[in-house]
Amino acid sequence: MINLLPEDEFLERTANVALQRVPWDLAKQKGVDVLMRRDDLIDTHLSGNKFYKLFYNLHAAKDSGYQQLLSFGGAHSNHIYALAMAAKFSGFKCIGVIRGERSRQLSATLLDAESAGMKLHFVSRTDYREKNSQELRGSLNRLYGDFFEIPEGGANNYGVIGTTALGTAISQQVKGDYTSICIAAGTASTLAGVASGVAMGDQNLNTDDKKVIGFSVLKGDGDLGSDIINHQHAINSKTNNWRLISGYHCGGYAKKLPNYLRQFMSEFEATANLQLDPVYTVKMCWGVAQLLVQNYWPRGSKIILIHTGGLQGRRGFGLF
Ligand SMILES: *Cc1c(COP(=O)(O)O)cnc(C)c1O
């Protein structure tokens, strides 16, 4: 039996996520009001944007009669972790195709995923790059039978549609009273969905001055801008209320945190009275700090930071 959260309860949850003021001296000096939307708290098992990205994927899988889910990720992946938890609590079987050979000591993320019932299928880094190949599909089908496939990071149409609910919820919560919404961007499919959702939720939106700003956590972020346009296109949306900011990756994706960032992280956490994850949200907050220093926002601005969760990933960095 597959048992999923109904859509009305999903929407109700998204409407009730706390917006918490961050008493940040730097922001106060600059006359900017900073609020954090605590999507890390939206669910006990699936945190942050992965809760949104998986919701319609799970429904699509169930509606098409699948019993089994399959997706891709690295050894510390928040997406793999969320998928394993979602499968466990909804009654799906699931398979995680994991980048790299199986190591003798599995990461905390993979240990949890495996004990939640996920089957781990390791592929070499070279094969992982070819993860969309027909050969891999064929051998996975022979090994595991039929499955509903979700791309790495949950970045498909269903994932983007799920994240529009996050944007709509914010615009209804703040009713136009904000300057910018800030979010960390990996594939930037959440940024795309949130920007669309904000536009759907606010008929009076002035897209010239109210933006959703994505902070890329990637060192080489390639063509992320056109990815955003494509993600929106795939859900029949096109908005110009988003911006992508690069340069605050602090050494690259999931790399060891430089000392200045580690120090910033613990200070920010103490100030805001919450925890950040070391791959995404800490870099968004660092980017926001740098923009505040540069007087990017005029006095009187009100900015909303989205906490996209991912705290389970702290363990891979020796943070608890
Ligand atoms: C996956 C993840 C992101 C990135 O989401 P994208 O849609 O790929 O941009 C951001 N923050 C956290 C905590 C994540 O786990």
Side-chain angles (χ1 to χ4, degrees), residues 138-158:
S139 69
L140 291 170
N141 278 135
R142 280 190 295 282
L143 275 169
Y144 303 110
D146 248 5
F147 49 75
F148 181 86
E149 185 177 327
I150 302 172
E152 189 176 49
N156 61 1
N157 300 3
Y158 297 118

Side-chain angles (χ1 to χ4, degrees), residues 4-270:
L4 297 176
L5 186 69
E7 190 177 32
D8 55 343
E9 284 179 36
F10 167 73
L11 295 175
E12 193 181 312
R13 285 241 218 137
T14 71
N16 288 308
V17 174
L19 270 179
Q20 165 184 327
R21 185 154 277 108
V22 180
W24 195 358
D25 283 342
L26 171 62
K28 269 184 231 154
Q29 283 161 21
K30 303 290 182 178
V32 175
D33 195 11
V34 179
L35 301 170
M36 177 82 89
R37 178 170 152 113
R38 298 296 307 278
D39 281 295
D40 55 319
L41 303 176
I42 195 160
D43 188 82
T44 11
H45 305 288
L46 304 190
S47 96
N49 63 337
K50 304 307 184 284
F51 173 80
Y52 295 87
K53 287 179 140 188
L54 286 174
F55 181 77
Y56 291 105
N57 271 297
L58 299 182
H59 277 273
K62 181 183 181 201
D63 293 347
S64 333
Y66 287 93
Q67 303 288 322
Q68 190 163 241
L69 309 169
L70 177 140
S71 194
F72 304 86
H76 305 287
S77 163
N78 294 330
H79 167 65
I80 287 291
Y81 182 90
L83 182 70
M85 296 305 148
K88 173 178 173 182
F89 292 103
S90 56
F92 280 108
K93 292 194 276 184
C94 76
I95 302 141
V97 179
I98 309 300
R99 182 180 61 236
E101 314 297 340
R102 185 178 185 110
S103 60
R104 229 162 1 112
Q105 180 56 55
L106 287 185
S107 66
T109 303
L110 294 183
L111 282 173
D112 285 349
E114 205 167 49
S115 40
M118 177 180 263
K119 281 180 219 146
L120 301 180
H121 181 95
F122 291 86
V123 298
S124 71
R125 281 164 193 273
T126 322
D127 289 350
Y128 192 83
R129 264 177 246 128
E130 304 296 314
K131 60 184 174 302
N132 297 321
S133 74
Q134 285 308 313
E135 286 96 301
L136 181 62
R137 244 2 117 276
S139 69
L140 291 170
N141 278 135
R142 280 190 295 282
L143 275 169
Y144 303 110
D146 248 5
F147 49 75
F148 181 86
E149 185 177 327
I150 302 172
E152 189 176 49
N156 61 1
N157 300 3
Y158 297 118
V160 179
I161 292 171
T163 63
T164 63
L166 171 52
T168 304
I170 296 175
S171 64
Q172 288 171 354
Q173 243 171 347
V174 298
K175 301 192 172 50
D177 181 20
Y178 68 96
T179 311
S180 307
I181 297 170
C182 299
I183 186 165
T187 64
S189 52
T190 308
L191 168 60
V194 168
S196 295
V198 165
M200 292 189 256
D202 181 357
Q203 304 303 327
N204 305 315
L205 179 67
N206 176 353
T207 57
D208 288 335
D209 60 34
K210 290 192 193 315
K211 301 278 198 263
V212 183
I213 303 174
F215 291 82
S216 172
V217 302
L218 307 176
K219 193 170 187 173
D221 45 20
D223 220 351
L224 221 43
S226 55
D227 291 349
I228 296 168
I229 292 168
N230 292 336
H231 285 307
Q232 289 196 331
H233 184 74
I235 62 162
N236 295 318
S237 169
K238 184 177 190 315
T239 69
N240 60 1
N241 62 331
W242 57 267
R243 286 291 178 273
L244 185 64
I245 295 193
S246 300
Y248 301 115
H249 57 75
C250 304
Y253 181 73
K255 288 286 189 303
K256 183 172 182 292
L257 302 186
N259 286 336
Y260 68 85
L261 191 61
R262 215 167 245 265
Q263 181 168 356
F264 168 80
M265 183 172 181
S266 57
E267 285 167 10
F268 185 92
E269 289 179 336

